[in-house]
Amino acid sequence: MIAVQITRWVASIIGLGALLLGLAFWLFQINLLNVHMLFGFIVTLSLLGLGIAMLFSRGLRLLGIISIIYAPILPIFGMTQDGLLIGDLHWLIRIAHMLVGIGALVLISLIGARYQALKRNPGKTALKASLSSEKG
Ligand code: HEM
């Protein structure tokens, strides 16, 4: 429980850092791409780790499988994007890479929230538990 929540919050903060560094490169040509990529790999490993952990949580296995499939897409896309759609339309690739990154952060948050709700209401499925804990 505690390991999942720590991973969730650390990955979210580092992911936000990756987003800001990516935007700093894109908008202001501040080149801290090495740090950006390191942060990106930490996000990837966190998502992979959470995904594997969710395989052992009843009701969260599908989210686990989605995360395990999604996680490698982030670095593969990140490392290859500079050769994709070179020219006037390259901004589309940049937006796509950013959205894939934000998608990973959303998945991490979703896992954290559903997992927490499930632990609070162990009798319910993950979705029902998170919906009822949102209602209060
Ligand atoms: C292992 C994961 C990642 C790798 C290897 C990676 C790699 C890169 C590289 C090489 C660039 C520069 C591209 C260029 O030369 O135009 C870049 C830019 C960028 N990245 Fe990432 N990145 C990763 C994860 C993320 C994440 C998690 C986010 C957001 C949450 C993100 C958001 C951005 C943004 C906004 C840019 C600037 C726009 C662009 O050039 O695409 N990246 N990334």
Side-chain angles (χ1 to χ4, degrees), residues 5 18-19 28 39 43 48 60 67 70 107 127 132-134:
Q5 294 308 331
L19 178 63
F28 307 112
F39 283 5
V43 171
L48 198 60
L60 286 169
S67 303
Y70 195 102
L107 256 179
L127 186 59
S132 65
S133 76
E134 270 165 28

Side-chain angles (χ1 to χ4, degrees), residues 15-16 18-19 21-23 25-26 33 36-37 39-41 43-44 74-75 78-79 81-82 90 93-95 97-98 101-102 104-105:
L16 191 66
L19 178 63
L21 290 178
L23 289 173
F25 174 70
W26 190 3
L33 280 179
H36 168 80
M37 283 160 68
F39 283 5
F41 282 116
V43 171
T44 304
L74 186 59
M79 302 296 278
Q81 59 166 324
D82 55 350
H90 188 67
I93 298 295
R94 293 187 128 165
I95 300 263
H97 170 65
M98 184 173 70
I102 292 172
L105 301 184

Side-chain angles (χ1 to χ4, degrees), residues 1-8 115:
M1 171 78 179
I2 191 82
V4 169
Q5 294 308 331
I6 290 174
T7 309
R8 172 204 185 174
Y115 185 80

Side-chain angles (χ1 to χ4, degrees), residues 70-89:
Y70 195 102
I73 295 175
L74 186 59
I76 291 170
F77 194 20
M79 302 296 278
T80 52
Q81 59 166 324
D82 55 350
L84 302 173
L85 219 65
I86 307 163
D88 285 351
L89 290 178

Side-chain angles (χ1 to χ4, degrees):
M1 171 78 179
I2 191 82
V4 169
Q5 294 308 331
I6 290 174
T7 309
R8 172 204 185 174
W9 289 113
V10 169
S12 299
I13 293 165
I14 288 188
L16 191 66
L19 178 63
L20 293 177
L21 290 178
L23 289 173
F25 174 70
W26 190 3
L27 304 176
F28 307 112
Q29 290 77 47
I30 298 171
N31 191 338
L32 288 170
L33 280 179
N34 285 341
V35 183
H36 168 80
M37 283 160 68
L38 176 68
F39 283 5
F41 282 116
I42 293 172
V43 171
T44 304
L45 290 179
S46 304
L47 184 59
L48 198 60
L50 288 174
I52 292 170
M54 291 311 112
L55 291 183
F56 301 96
S57 285
R58 259 187 73 230
L60 286 169
R61 291 208 178 103
L62 182 62
L63 209 51
I65 292 168
I66 293 171
S67 303
I68 292 167
I69 295 171
Y70 195 102
I73 295 175
L74 186 59
I76 291 170
F77 194 20
M79 302 296 278
T80 52
Q81 59 166 324
D82 55 350
L84 302 173
L85 219 65
I86 307 163
D88 285 351
L89 290 178
H90 188 67
W91 63 271
L92 283 173
I93 298 295
R94 293 187 128 165
I95 300 263
H97 170 65
M98 184 173 70
L99 291 179
V100 170
I102 292 172
L105 301 184
V106 169
L107 256 179
I108 287 169
S109 289
L110 206 60
I111 288 178
R114 293 262 162 94
Y115 185 80
Q116 195 174 25
L118 195 66
K119 291 294 152 188
R120 281 198 191 133
N121 302 291
K124 297 187 177 177
T125 64
L127 186 59
K128 280 186 189 158
S130 68
L131 287 176
S132 65
S133 76
E134 270 165 28
K135 278 183 205 154

